[in-house]
């Protein structure tokens, strides 16, 4: 499970990242809201943790921008502000939960797991693009109604692309999400998996387009 942490306090961010990684999460960290908007639009994250008091654009403005763009990633506000007005504003703008610093790591981990479970249970168990269908519950892929044989990594890449449509998935982030603890996947390896996947989905009404210098986007034909 991959999380984007938007926190400008370096020491606190490092501490949170360490705790989350020990809890089984992969964590990317940004110290400002502006690049977070782009990151959340380009890359599939399971959840975002957002501070309110960020330099430049505030965390509340970040949440507003995400929801205006229909980016529905679950958001947990983690802030020192404990006023009722701040809580109400954050939740009304589209945040899914609100925690006040200082906090206990076990509670943060529990809330993250709950938010991700809630998000996944409310999402459709089937993804569709062109004539390609992914049954997420049964982990079955079909094209034109016929079984589509995918390897585990091909499945993950196609799922990421379908979840991100019409946005671009960053190739390096894709490589990181496919990597295992002792088996790191390179960007070059991703290119090979994508090439194989392209051949398997031909005739399925979709195309994986390479966005030079960034990554890949799935388009319907």
């Amino acid at each position: 499970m991959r999380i984007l942490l938007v926190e400008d306090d370096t020491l606190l961010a490092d501490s949170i990242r360490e705790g989350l990684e020990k809890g089984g999460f992969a964590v990317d960290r940004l110290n400002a809201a502006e690049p977070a908007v782009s990151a959340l639009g380009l890359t599939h994250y399971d959840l975002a943790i957002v501070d309110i008091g960020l330099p430049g654009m505030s965390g509340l403005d970040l949440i507003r921008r995400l929801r205006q763009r229909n980016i529905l990633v679950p958001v947990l506000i983690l802030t020192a502000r404990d006023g009722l007005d701040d809580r109400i504003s954050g939740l009304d703008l589209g945040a899914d939960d609100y925690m006040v610093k200082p906090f206990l790591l076990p509670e943060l981990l529990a809330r993250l797991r709950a938010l991700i479970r809630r998000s996944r249970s409310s999402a459709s168990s089937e993804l569709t693009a062109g004539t390609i269908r992914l049954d997420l519950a049964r982990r079955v892929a079909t094209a034109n109604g016929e079984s589509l044989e995918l390897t585990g990594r091909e499945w993950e890449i196609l799922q990421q692309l379908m979840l991100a449509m019409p946005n671009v998935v960053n190739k390096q982030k894709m490589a990181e999400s496919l990597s295992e603890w002792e088996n790191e996947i390179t960007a070059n390896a991703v290119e090979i998996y994508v090439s194989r996947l392209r051949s398997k989905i031909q005739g399925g009404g979709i195309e994986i387009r390479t966005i030079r210098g960034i990554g890949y986007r799935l388009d319907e034909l």
Side-chain angles (χ1 to χ4, degrees):
M1 292 179 286
R2 184 163 293 276
I3 289 176
L4 180 64
L5 172 63
V6 191
E7 169 62 63
D8 64 326
D9 185 320
T10 300
L11 291 178
L12 178 59
D14 288 344
S15 176
I16 293 173
R17 173 186 281 177
E18 181 180 358
L20 296 184
E21 288 178 345
K22 288 181 179 178
F25 295 98
V27 183
D28 295 330
R29 182 246 172 169
L30 293 171
N31 60 9
E34 288 86 348
V37 175
S38 298
L40 289 164
L42 292 172
T43 305
H44 171 69
Y45 287 97
D46 294 286
L47 187 139
I49 300 174
V50 176
D51 185 18
I52 290 180
L54 297 169
M57 182 193 301
S58 74
L60 295 180
D61 289 333
L62 166 60
I63 295 168
R64 179 186 293 109
R65 186 81 59 86
L66 294 177
R67 298 322 187 209
Q68 287 173 345
R69 297 187 179 189
N70 202 34
I71 299 174
L72 303 180
V73 60
V75 175
L76 181 142
I77 293 175
L78 187 61
T79 180
R81 300 186 187 182
D82 60 356
L84 179 60
D85 289 344
D86 289 318
R87 292 173 183 264
I88 292 173
S89 295
L91 296 172
D92 281 347
L93 286 172
D96 299 273
D97 201 354
Y98 193 110
M99 282 190 71
V100 176
K101 305 169 185 175
F103 60 91
L104 297 176
L105 180 62
E107 181 183 1
L108 175 61
L109 291 171
R111 291 200 187 202
L112 296 181
R113 290 191 293 265
L115 286 174
I116 292 172
R117 284 197 305 270
R118 187 189 311 163
S119 172
R120 290 180 174 178
S121 65
S122 63
S124 171
S125 63
E126 185 177 275
L127 298 176
T128 303
T131 66
I132 306 292
R133 284 177 170 75
L134 296 186
D135 185 327
L136 303 182
R138 297 189 300 145
R139 203 173 175 84
V140 172
T142 60
N144 296 302
E146 301 293 329
S147 178
L148 189 61
E149 298 299 326
L150 301 176
T151 66
R153 285 178 176 144
E154 290 168 352
W155 169 282
E156 294 297 333
I157 289 172
L158 184 55
Q159 177 179 264
Q160 286 187 36
L161 291 169
M162 292 176 75
L163 284 168
M165 288 179 69
N167 297 314
V168 178
V169 179
N170 180 275
K171 181 163 62 174
Q172 185 58 45
K173 297 300 183 185
M174 182 181 287
E176 292 172 3
S177 70
L178 294 172
S179 296
E180 300 171 355
W181 288 108
E182 297 181 357
N183 187 14
E184 183 176 351
I185 301 300
T186 66
N188 288 337
V190 170
E191 292 178 6
I192 295 173
Y193 291 126
V194 168
S195 177
R196 293 172 180 170
L197 182 58
R198 281 188 173 121
S199 66
K200 292 185 177 183
I201 63 173
Q202 282 185 350
I206 58 175
E207 180 180 7
I208 301 174
R209 298 189 186 275
T210 299
I211 309 302
R212 188 176 299 276
I214 303 177
Y216 303 99
R217 186 184 70 219
L218 193 65
D219 291 343
E220 291 189 292
L221 302 177

